[in-house]
Amino acid sequence: MPDSSGPILVADGFDGFRDALAQTRWLLITHIPYLRKPDGSIWMTKVWRQDILARLDYMNQLTILAPCHSVAWEEGLVELPRDALKRVHFDPLPAPKRLGTALLQLPLMTWRVVRALRHCDALRTSIAGWPIAPGLIANPLAVMMRKPFAIEVESTFWRLRDPAHARKRSRLRSRFNEFFVRWCIRRARVALFTHSAYRDGLSAGAKAERVLLPTTWINTEDILDPETARARWLEAKERPQLLFAAALTPEAGMAMALDAVETLDQRGLDADITVVGDGPLLGAWKDLARRCRHVQITLIYKVTPETRLALLRQHHVAIIPSLADEPPRFLFDALSQGTPVIGSDVSGHRDILENKTCGRLFAAGDAGALADCVARTVENLGELSASTDTALATAQTLTHERLHQIRARVFAQHLSVRRKGSADRPVLPPPPAFS
């Protein structure tokens, strides 16, 4: 089975990939919405804008089939540059909020998917979306119409945390989604997975090119240079500065982290802990902050992208106790600032931190293991400064730009279209294994 097993792989000869992709008419089907204003301008979130502009670096003819809104659904939307609209066309999908409405609009969705498929050579799709995922319609139609496609698996939202106590309807829905996703992967030419647990657990029997590609938003220009990163350790406070970054929910591991911090305080650990996040456990964290005698806890409910990196530079270690396999953005941001990471031993963290001196792993969900790991780290705080270069080097392999270089490389090999009289697809060497 083909397997590109690195999370972000070095892509040489990017210009060659761009040339191979230039003639292909691409279709991107997504559940991520956009806003079309009366003057024809297109507005979206900053990260979605960044992602589209990166795709246009190697896709000359791109159609995006996505839910369209007529009014802004959140603050901070930004406009896609007008000149980008010369190479990208937005085809609207309905944006229903209820299942009943979605079912009524299903014929319209199906017609628009069929129309878009007729005018594309290859597509990238997924299985996410609510109340009806566009991929539920598009993927089988792409197979029927013999359109080569890449499928991206970024979550397993359909899986139940406690199937034994779930309703029968929920169990049936979960089983159907599991079957459908595996069926789609077996029929795709390329399957992109954000971490190895998805790849290993969902692609049995698949002939697709399997690519490990975590969702990273690191900008190359935001990566700290090594000299600046080392200098901040010399200027750092002697008292340990620890940063917890996660939603204040049990699923994010913050109930377990609460117990771990209380244990550390009982042991007499002197440290400053900053907790970034909001959620139902906020009251419990405020109560712990009042009760702690040795640990000083500061709560920050929300940070902007601009202040997140500065906050990471002010701390010795970033701690990510998540119980989910998906690595959060804070992990990548921490590495970009040369900040070592203590992470739960889940697939997404393991793919990036295992065998690296820039991070340490502890048993997921185990408060005692987290407390012990933090205590050992604080006792040897001086040794962490040596891990700065490793963190920065790891971040260089995990930039958003590199992510798209790998996408371009794989798409050029497996999905690009050769028009009559044009050169053959490039024959690319196999990618290096992730180490």
Side-chain angles (χ1 to χ4, degrees), residues 324-361:
D325 284 318
E326 195 67 35
R329 180 168 181 169
F330 248 103
L331 170 60
F332 302 105
D333 287 340
L335 296 176
S336 75
Q337 303 308 295
T339 304
V341 175
I342 294 176
S344 50
D345 191 3
V346 295
S347 177
H349 296 167
R350 195 161 51 244
D351 290 339
I352 296 167
L353 299 177
E354 194 171 38
N355 302 321
K356 299 283 179 67
T357 59
C358 59
R360 295 177 178 176
L361 298 172

Side-chain angles (χ1 to χ4, degrees), residues 177-378:
N177 281 323
E178 184 80 14
F179 168 82
F180 179 71
V181 170
R182 291 175 183 271
W183 181 87
C184 292
I185 292 171
R186 286 197 300 270
R187 281 152 182 79
R189 284 198 186 174
V190 175
L192 307 170
F193 303 94
T194 51
H195 58 78
S196 57
Y198 292 165
R199 180 198 61 194
D200 299 339
L202 290 170
S203 61
K207 297 180 180 179
E209 176 77 5
R210 305 186 309 165
V211 184
L212 203 56
L213 210 62
T215 304
T216 169
W217 298 97
I218 296 176
N219 295 315
T220 304
E221 60 270 20
D222 289 333
I223 299 177
L224 219 58
D225 66 90
E227 289 188 7
T228 303
R230 293 189 206 104
R232 79 178 179 88
W233 279 92
L234 299 175
E235 301 168 359
K237 299 177 182 178
E238 292 185 9
R239 184 175 168 90
Q241 306 293 309
L242 312 178
L243 175 67
F244 280 84
L248 301 186
T249 65
E251 295 78 14
M254 291 304 285
M256 175 272 300
L258 194 75
D259 295 336
V261 171
E262 186 165 17
T263 298
L264 289 168
D265 185 68
Q266 292 170 354
R267 293 181 185 178
L269 178 76
D270 285 318
D272 292 335
I273 292 180
T274 301
V275 178
V276 178
D278 198 359
L281 293 176
L282 178 60
W285 276 97
K286 286 182 176 179
D287 182 61
L288 179 63
R290 287 191 294 266
R291 290 188 285 109
C292 281
R293 300 178 59 188
H294 302 280
V295 173
Q296 180 70 38
I297 298 177
T298 301
L299 296 169
I300 301 177
Y301 308 137
K302 186 178 181 180
V303 293
T304 64
E306 293 74 22
T307 59
R308 182 169 52 237
L309 299 182
L311 186 65
L312 282 162
R313 291 193 295 270
Q314 297 166 12
H315 290 80
H316 293 107
V317 184
I319 303 171
I320 305 173
S322 175
L323 304 180
D325 284 318
E326 195 67 35
R329 180 168 181 169
F330 248 103
L331 170 60
F332 302 105
D333 287 340
L335 296 176
S336 75
Q337 303 308 295
T339 304
V341 175
I342 294 176
S344 50
D345 191 3
V346 295
S347 177
H349 296 167
R350 195 161 51 244
D351 290 339
I352 296 167
L353 299 177
E354 194 171 38
N355 302 321
K356 299 283 179 67
T357 59
C358 59
R360 295 177 178 176
L361 298 172
F362 67 92
D366 189 331
L370 173 57
D372 292 341
C373 188
V374 171
R376 288 194 303 270
T377 301
V378 169

Side-chain angles (χ1 to χ4, degrees), residues 51-67:
D51 193 69
I52 289 175
L53 293 177
R55 291 176 191 273
L56 292 180
D57 191 35
Y58 54 92
M59 292 180 173
N60 284 337
Q61 306 173 67
L62 174 62
T63 296
I64 296 178
L65 195 60

